[in-house]
Amino acid sequence: MLLKDQAAIVTGGASGLGEATARALAAAGAKVALFDRNTERAQLVAQEIGGVACTCDITDTASVEAAIARAAEAHGPARILMNVAGIGSAKRIINRDGTPAALEDFARVVNVNLIGSYNISRLFAAACAKLPALEDGARGVMLFTASVAAFDGQVGQQAYSASKGGIVGMTLPMARDLAQHGIRVCTIAPGLFATPLMQELPEAVQESLAKSIPFPQRLGKPEEFADLALHIVQNGHLNGEVIRLDGALRMAPR
């Protein structure tokens, strides 16, 4: 699918991997809507790239429907959905005092990362399936963001790994489900990237993490994630695939 003049939605578009993806889409000529809970930051990025900011909580159906409608009003119906929004978590299943971890913490992470991603995807897909077909019968493309934690979850990452593992498991059946509508589905599973959250860590910690990557021994650049995301949109034969983007990293238990 050509990117120029296509309407695209990027969740989590106000920062990190989402912001890099939004900027890359705009640079390629796409009309970008940034969906984020951080309205102020989303508006700033949208202004810089000529896009539109839409306040959105992906776990809330009414919020997503309103954001999709606003994006469509500004740019027309979207054919591209980049699911990048997500949250992290690191909590052991047994606390230091011997009490069990709070169920609410687990549920919150799964609700945002997995159920939220599914929520916006089902609403996007239903609208996209009604659009006229393009070359090869294509109508749209959806990208999910998993993590290497889906495969190599570390101590304390039960909730995060479960949520990202759910996205990995959802990719192929969703691609098969939506094939009849000409909508492709792929997932990127990034490793250690230089996101704002990562950059909050002490420099020594960042350097130590980078050295755990076989090659290149540095944190991934958000622009590299964006490059792959855009390639998936443009390569019409990529479908139902989960791609690790990690420099051959395999996470240790801790």
Side-chain angles (χ1 to χ4, degrees):
M1 180 183 292
L2 296 176
L3 290 164
K4 185 173 174 54
D5 297 326
Q6 293 293 356
I9 292 169
V10 182
T11 72
S15 63
L17 302 181
E19 178 182 349
T21 303
R23 290 184 182 278
L25 283 166
K31 298 177 289 186
V32 184
L34 294 87
F35 286 20
D36 208 290
R37 295 178 66 178
N38 188 338
T39 306
E40 184 177 352
R41 175 64 187 168
Q43 288 175 338
L44 177 62
V45 176
Q47 184 176 11
E48 292 178 355
I49 67 174
V52 61
C54 304
T55 303
C56 182
D57 176 353
I58 60 173
T59 68
D60 182 85
T61 296
S63 176
V64 175
E65 289 175 335
I68 289 176
R70 173 168 163 72
E73 183 180 2
H75 297 153
R79 291 185 183 270
I80 300 167
L81 172 61
M82 299 290 190
N83 274 304
V84 191
I87 59 174
S89 173
K91 293 184 181 294
R92 289 177 180 261
I93 193 166
I94 301 174
N95 296 316
R96 290 183 183 275
D97 62 2
T99 59
L103 182 60
E104 293 77 11
D105 292 333
F106 187 94
R108 178 178 61 89
V109 175
V110 172
N111 191 41
V112 173
N113 293 353
L114 179 57
I115 298 175
S117 294
Y118 178 82
N119 188 34
I120 188 168
S121 297
R122 70 186 181 92
L123 298 171
F124 164 84
C128 188
K130 297 181 176 69
L131 299 179
L134 305 175
E135 183 181 3
D136 289 337
R139 287 188 172 84
V141 183
M142 289 198 301
L143 173 82
F144 289 107
T145 304
S147 166
V148 295
F151 313 99
D152 314 327
Q154 295 184 296
V155 168
Q157 285 192 319
Q158 289 89 346
Y160 186 69
S161 294
S163 67
K164 295 302 187 178
I167 287 173
V168 168
M170 186 166 64
T171 303
L172 181 59
M174 188 172 287
R176 288 171 165 173
D177 194 337
L178 295 176
Q180 62 183 311
H181 302 292
I183 301 172
R184 292 186 291 115
V185 182
C186 282
T187 292
I188 298 176
L192 300 174
F193 272 72
T195 61
L197 187 62
M198 177 69 74
Q199 290 169 338
E200 290 179 4
L201 297 175
E203 188 68 28
V205 175
Q206 293 185 49
E207 291 177 2
S208 175
L209 290 171
K211 288 179 181 178
S212 69
I213 301 172
F215 185 81
Q217 285 197 332
R218 60 165 174 79
L219 299 176
K221 302 174 183 178
E223 295 78 14
E224 291 170 320
F225 177 94
D227 286 344
L228 180 54
L230 266 62
H231 178 75
I232 288 170
V233 174
Q234 296 174 94
N235 189 325
H237 210 59
L238 270 173
N239 194 17
E241 190 60 65
V242 178
I243 305 170
R244 288 183 69 132
L245 186 64
D246 59 16
L249 172 69
R250 296 299 180 268
M251 300 291 285
R254 291 179 175 82

